[in-house]
Amino acid sequence: MMNFDTLKARGLFDERLPRYTSYPPAPAFSADIGHAFQAEALAALDPDAPISLYLHIPFCERLCWFCACRTQGVRSLTPVQAYLETLRRELALIATHQPRKLRVKQMHWGGGTPTILPPALIREVSDMLGEVFVLDTDTTFSVEIDPTLVDADKIAALKDAGMTRASIGVQDFAPLVQKCIGRLQSYEQTLEAVEMLRAAQVASLNVDLVYGLPFQSTEGFAQTLHQVNTLRPDRVALFGYAHVPHMAKRQSLIPEASLPGDRARFTLFNKATELLCADGMEAIGIDHFARPDDSMARAARDGTLRRNFQGYTVDGCDTLLGLGASSISRFKEGFVQNAAQTGDYTRQINSGELAGVRGYRLTSEDRLRGRIIEMLMCDFAIDFKELNMNDVDRARIKPAVDALRRECDGMIVETQDRLSLSPQARPLVRRLAHFFDASNPAHAGYSRVS
């Protein structure tokens, strides 16, 4: 892999680029595409094709200062219960538009904090979803877990609802770092949650870490990694903190002077990679790690790894339905995002319309560019044979392919059917993917590449 100075000389750490969890990225969405498009796309779904679901629970008992997700703090369950009633109405509207009760292959509850729900509400939400979709033993069901807001009864309720994977937020165990991001969570609390999950026979465990947080040090983060390794997770997501207080106002509570610089961030990421791989994990894409027998590691090896709004996934469904405020749905025809604020979401649903307020209708060129970007982000390669391009397609992407070749001179292996990046070129992959991005929305406010 290239060292820091070489990457810096290429300008990598000065660039602000999408993370490419969709193409086009969400800033390219337009208010011209909304609930009417959503209804049209739902009605056009193949009734025999399985779908994926994402459910957004936008509530937290505490608001972590580093977080840029669409969430709000609550001190009681009253607004949560009101939100779930709106969700019930959203599901009823979806049921009137979809061709029939669709089978769910993958489901994820995120937030916010899904474990803010007590057992009775967990069961209520599960029953709501079961009235509109087919959820069975073949459904892979993951839930984001806050170890400070979970107990055996909640885990039992989630397990009864079909949970197969738990995603535990850790970020960093260093007390000073936790204090400066408003998230106090001890290793002991986290271990207790892991032990409860394993006692409930939850099949898979994911841990989320963040590098680039205030006052993080290489030594301190290494200690966090050693502690995480004792938890024996099946997967680890290692995200770079994006400091965007202009978009997430709570981040203004974090003093910028306390944040690691580019070189320190680079060192933190490499140290984490070293320690996770030494513990037997395989590096997946730009920010995930998995044990060799995990489905994500297998997907990375056999070329079926995919990327969506949750990051890397083994989800191969063409359709992802987003439920709740701010959720984004992906259809063959394009994308649509629900109203972001809970008040706006509630008003939209109460008006009798689906919740979509902005989106994007895909063209054939968008699909081509999007698949190439996904290949680069997942496989560090472009499979020309799979793309099966005509002369017009080849002409459209030729400038981008030529730019990639120039940028990676001496760092690619190319045959007639495939172009592959060498390992040393992989840190450049977001920049390389950007060569194929024709959307370039103004004032997008993307995070820095580091």
Side-chain angles (χ1 to χ4, degrees), residues 435-446:
F435 292 156
F436 295 88
D437 185 348
S439 64
N440 291 322
H443 312 298
Y446 296 124

Side-chain angles (χ1 to χ4, degrees), residues 125-202:
V125 172
S126 178
D127 290 344
M128 269 193 255
L129 294 169
E131 291 172 3
V132 179
F133 305 105
V134 177
L135 304 169
D136 54 32
T137 55
D138 293 328
T139 303
T140 300
F141 173 22
S142 59
V143 182
E144 293 174 15
I145 304 281
D146 181 345
T148 70
L149 202 64
V150 74
D151 55 32
D153 289 341
K154 289 183 180 182
I155 289 172
L158 288 167
K159 177 66 176 175
D160 289 345
M163 178 174 64
T164 58
R165 175 175 295 112
S167 183
I168 291 187
V170 169
Q171 326 321 336
D172 192 319
F173 282 127
L176 177 59
V177 175
Q178 290 187 352
K179 181 180 178 180
C180 290
I181 62 173
R183 185 185 176 92
L184 297 177
Q185 174 185 321
S186 69
Y187 169 76
E188 289 73 23
Q189 285 174 305
T190 308
L191 175 60
E192 183 181 7
V194 168
E195 289 174 342
M196 286 190 291
L197 288 161
R198 293 223 162 98
Q201 298 184 319
V202 176

Side-chain angles (χ1 to χ4, degrees), residues 18 20 23-25 28 360 363 365-366 369-370 373 396-397 400 433-441 446:
Y20 291 114
Y23 182 80
Y360 189 94
T363 66
E365 181 178 352
D366 293 325
R369 291 180 180 276
I373 287 171
R396 282 173 172 165
I397 68 162
H434 191 61
F435 292 156
F436 295 88
D437 185 348
S439 64
N440 291 322
Y446 296 124

Side-chain angles (χ1 to χ4, degrees), residues 21-163:
T21 54
S22 72
Y23 182 80
F29 294 1
S30 165
D32 294 335
I33 303 292
H35 60 83
F37 170 84
Q38 195 172 14
E40 169 193 318
L42 280 167
L45 290 176
D46 178 352
D48 296 320
I51 65 167
S52 293
L53 285 182
Y54 171 75
L55 170 62
H56 190 62
I57 308 291
F59 301 101
C60 300
E61 284 193 2
R62 57 178 180 175
L63 290 175
C64 304
W65 303 342
F66 73 94
C67 180
C69 297
R70 293 281 187 177
T71 61
Q72 62 190 77
V74 292
R75 295 184 178 180
S76 77
L77 286 175
T78 301
V80 180
Q81 291 168 318
Y83 179 81
L84 295 185
E85 286 306 308
T86 304
L87 174 65
R88 188 188 299 277
R89 290 192 289 274
E90 182 187 14
L91 287 166
L93 286 168
I94 288 172
T96 66
H97 290 286
Q98 65 184 5
R100 72 175 184 214
K101 203 172 180 181
L102 300 170
R103 185 169 68 85
V104 176
K105 184 177 180 182
Q106 307 261 351
M107 179 167 65
H108 182 80
W109 292 10
T113 308
T115 49
I116 199 172
L117 301 176
L121 290 185
I122 290 170
R123 295 187 181 96
E124 183 178 326
V125 172
S126 178
D127 290 344
M128 269 193 255
L129 294 169
E131 291 172 3
V132 179
F133 305 105
V134 177
L135 304 169
D136 54 32
T137 55
D138 293 328
T139 303
T140 300
F141 173 22
S142 59
V143 182
E144 293 174 15
I145 304 281
D146 181 345
T148 70
L149 202 64
V150 74
D151 55 32
D153 289 341
K154 289 183 180 182
I155 289 172
L158 288 167
K159 177 66 176 175
D160 289 345
M163 178 174 64

